[in-house]
Amino acid sequence: MENTNEKKNVVLSLVQASGTPTLGNYLGAFKNWHNMAAENDCIFGVADLHAITVRSEPQDLRRRSIEMYAMLLALGLDPEKNIVFLQSHVTDHALLAWVLNCYTAFGEASRMTQFKDKSQRHADNVNVGLFTYPILMAADILLYGADKVPVGDDQKQHLELARDIAERFNGIYGDVFKIPEPYIGKKGARILSLQEPEKKMSKSDPNVKSFISLADEPNVIAKKIKSAVTDSEARVYYGENKAGINNLMNIYSCCTGLDFDAIEKQFEGKGYGDFKSAVAEAVVEELRPVQEEYKRILSDKAYIEKCAKEGAEKASYLAHKTMRKVMKKVGFYQG
């Protein structure tokens, strides 16, 4: 008989408030979060503290944070069953990050490749926050005793750093932090740029035709897919030197559930025009329920405020328990 009292893993996932997510984010990660939430105790957050390593206007940061929070709710992440919060509403993130800064070697932090990449892209604003970003990420994870953390290839190094810091702290003070593991769930699709299908689809791409935003209207989605880079062969099949078509087939497969063989048969004897029209229609239908729910939630400011307040209270309760233990171990006077 199944043990219904079996303890679930705590899984933490924070997403940056740096603009509307793309179809790549959705098919690569968000679409699988339903299953993740059903099988684990999940904590989802908008990483708005992380967002300020790149300078932005205050009103833009507020808008993006609210929009990303509404998007998390629109994905069907029930705030009654999961903790869904904004990072800046839980001040223990910043406090623990400072403590962990003092237990992180400079050499460790300087080896983080993302700092090097972002420094080159934002050469006019290479701030200390950009350098210590991974330590704040470690604080995010360790505050909640996360067993598992979903990470992409670009974040694996940061999770390793969080593990190293936790093990060092535990080695000095005893069993304080849980050592997090990467979450390996159902593998999401790797969706590539529509204009440069050798690289990942990204919302920060200066060419807006290269990505589909989850907020794009159906006509905009259709236009972007119809202008997607393909090849001159005009035959739909998955193969070498067909990066553009391979990418569109991957998108179509994710939205319809058809495998590549079935897609090839469906479009046998048809050209790229027919195929692109079908891909566009499939993407529009896939995103329709999320977009409708997103618009509904975004128009209900009272509901967003209620969910954010309750989410912050739940998150703060867990975070503060960890923080009290950390402060006591380090030796801070607490009265």
Side-chain angles (χ1 to χ4, degrees):
M1 186 175 174
E2 185 183 357
N3 180 10
T4 54
N5 294 320
E6 187 178 342
K7 194 175 184 298
K8 292 181 177 180
N9 281 322
V10 175
V11 177
L12 176 97
S13 191
L14 266 62
V15 58
Q16 264 214 53
S18 57
T20 308
T22 68
L23 179 69
N25 300 132
Y26 176 75
L27 296 178
F30 296 167
K31 190 176 178 181
N32 295 330
W33 281 7
H34 267 303
N35 295 334
M36 191 169 84
E39 297 162 3
N40 303 278
D41 288 329
C42 286
I43 302 169
F44 298 103
V46 176
D48 50 350
L49 291 177
H50 285 286
I52 66 170
T53 57
V54 177
R55 195 82 68 236
S56 64
E57 292 296 325
Q59 63 270 24
D60 289 339
L61 176 61
R62 275 191 291 273
R63 175 184 52 77
R64 290 199 310 267
S65 300
I66 291 168
E67 287 176 353
M68 185 60 76
Y69 188 79
M71 183 60 74
L72 291 180
L73 298 179
L75 292 169
L77 305 176
D78 188 344
E80 298 293 324
K81 296 177 182 175
N82 308 285
I83 296 175
V84 188
F85 74 109
L86 286 118
Q87 182 190 26
S88 63
H89 290 185
V90 182
T91 55
D92 285 328
H93 285 260
L95 180 55
L96 182 57
W98 169 249
V99 173
L100 298 184
N101 274 331
C102 301
Y103 292 82
T104 306
F106 183 83
E108 284 178 309
S110 64
R111 284 195 292 274
M112 297 295 107
T113 55
Q114 214 174 54
F115 171 70
K116 295 169 187 172
D117 295 342
K118 287 194 173 184
S119 297
Q120 289 174 346
R121 281 191 277 131
H122 302 282
D124 59 331
N125 182 27
V126 183
N127 56 72
V128 175
L130 195 62
F131 185 71
T132 59
Y133 169 104
I135 297 136
L136 176 57
M137 185 176 168
D140 299 336
I141 296 164
L142 300 178
L143 263 180
Y144 299 102
D147 296 287
K148 308 276 186 181
V149 183
V151 285
D153 291 338
D154 58 341
Q155 297 289 352
K156 283 180 182 174
Q157 195 183 30
H158 292 173
L159 182 60
E160 281 304 313
L161 180 64
R163 287 169 55 86
D164 291 343
I165 295 169
E167 286 170 351
R168 179 177 303 125
F169 197 93
N170 288 354
I172 299 169
Y173 298 111
D175 188 18
V176 179
F177 294 124
K178 192 175 285 183
I179 308 301
E181 299 283 345
Y183 176 85
I184 311 298
K186 182 182 175 185
K187 189 164 177 61
R190 188 168 188 267
I191 305 301
L192 304 172
S193 163
L194 297 176
Q195 294 299 313
E196 296 177 77
E198 300 79 24
K199 69 179 190 180
K200 187 178 172 183
M201 182 180 284
S202 170
K203 60 177 175 271
S204 60
D205 196 312
N207 184 354
V208 295
K209 289 183 178 179
S210 69
F211 63 89
I212 292 169
S213 162
L214 293 194
D216 280 346
E217 295 291 335
N219 63 316
V220 174
I221 292 171
K223 195 171 180 181
K224 287 182 178 180
I225 288 175
K226 284 173 183 175
S227 69
V229 168
T230 52
D231 53 70
S232 58
E233 198 172 353
R235 187 162 72 87
V236 178
Y237 72 95
Y238 197 95
E240 288 184 32
N241 304 315
K242 291 179 74 67
I245 286 296
N246 293 349
N247 188 39
L248 291 177
M249 287 180 71
N250 197 13
I251 291 170
Y252 191 63
S253 174
C254 289
C255 294
T256 62
L258 296 172
D259 62 24
F260 292 155
D261 286 343
I263 294 168
E264 287 176 18
K265 285 176 186 170
Q266 182 182 350
F267 292 96
E268 195 172 351
K270 295 181 181 177
Y272 288 166
D274 289 333
F275 179 53
K276 285 182 174 183
S277 294
V279 174
E281 188 178 331
V283 171
V284 167
E285 289 308 309
E286 175 73 30
L287 297 184
R288 190 186 302 282
V290 175
Q291 290 184 335
E292 287 175 355
E293 186 67 356
Y294 173 67
K295 287 175 184 174
R296 185 190 70 78
I297 291 170
L298 201 57
S299 67
D300 191 346
K301 292 293 190 288
Y303 177 68
I304 292 174
E305 286 176 15
K306 174 180 174 289
C307 291
K309 182 173 180 289
E310 291 174 357
E313 286 169 355
K314 292 176 190 174
S316 293
Y317 174 77
L318 297 176
H320 206 53
K321 280 207 306 187
T322 300
M323 206 63 233
R324 281 199 305 271
K325 189 191 293 186
V326 169
M327 299 294 273
K328 183 179 179 183
K329 290 287 188 179
V330 173
F332 289 105
Y333 174 68
Q334 295 180 278

